[in-house]
Amino acid sequence: MRLRELETRIVKLERDPSYSALARMSEEELEHEVIRHMNLLAADFPTYDAMIASYAASPEPFEQEVAKDMRTFLADYLARQPGRVRAA
């Protein structure tokens, strides 16, 4: 693909409202947005771990990958929270 075509596609993506909204968010705002959505997903489960285990047990590879991403995000997020002791 030529450079001009790529630039045109990038401009189209940047005009998309969902792209622009995310692009303007700080890392902290993005983290809060992820947590907000995870809370919505976890509403039917007793804990985040139960929700993640449910996705990990799915036969769908995409859901298994989502479970890994959630675990990674939560481990990183919790490790950076002040006053939290990291589990061994």
Side-chain angles (χ1 to χ4, degrees), residues 49 75 78-79 84-88:
D49 287 335
L78 292 174
R84 293 242 182 214
V85 177
R86 203 168 173 180

Side-chain angles (χ1 to χ4, degrees), residues 27-28 31 72-84 86:
E27 185 174 335
E28 183 177 326
E31 285 179 347
T72 301
F73 173 81
L74 283 175
D76 180 60
Y77 179 79
L78 292 174
R80 290 182 285 111
Q81 298 307 301
R84 293 242 182 214
R86 203 168 173 180

Side-chain angles (χ1 to χ4, degrees), residues 12-13 17 20 28 32 36 39 45 57 70-71 84 88:
K12 286 179 184 177
L13 283 173
S20 298
E28 183 177 326
H32 287 296
R36 187 177 74 80
N39 286 337
F45 297 93
M70 286 182 188
R71 278 195 181 109
R84 293 242 182 214

Side-chain angles (χ1 to χ4, degrees), residues 6-78:
L6 287 172
E7 289 173 345
T8 302
R9 287 184 182 195
I10 290 170
V11 168
K12 286 179 184 177
L13 283 173
E14 289 174 341
R15 288 183 184 157
D16 183 329
S18 62
Y19 174 86
S20 298
L22 294 176
R24 290 188 306 258
M25 287 183 173
S26 69
E27 185 174 335
E28 183 177 326
E29 290 170 324
L30 286 169
E31 285 179 347
H32 287 296
E33 192 66 11
V34 170
I35 294 294
R36 187 177 74 80
H37 284 281
M38 286 182 68
N39 286 337
L40 292 173
L41 290 172
D44 295 331
F45 297 93
T47 64
Y48 276 140
D49 287 335
M51 174 191 62
I52 293 170
S54 173
Y55 281 103
S58 171
E60 297 295 325
F62 174 75
E63 290 186 6
Q64 294 170 6
E65 189 63 32
V66 166
K68 289 178 192 174
D69 291 343
M70 286 182 188
R71 278 195 181 109
T72 301
F73 173 81
L74 283 175
D76 180 60
Y77 179 79
L78 292 174

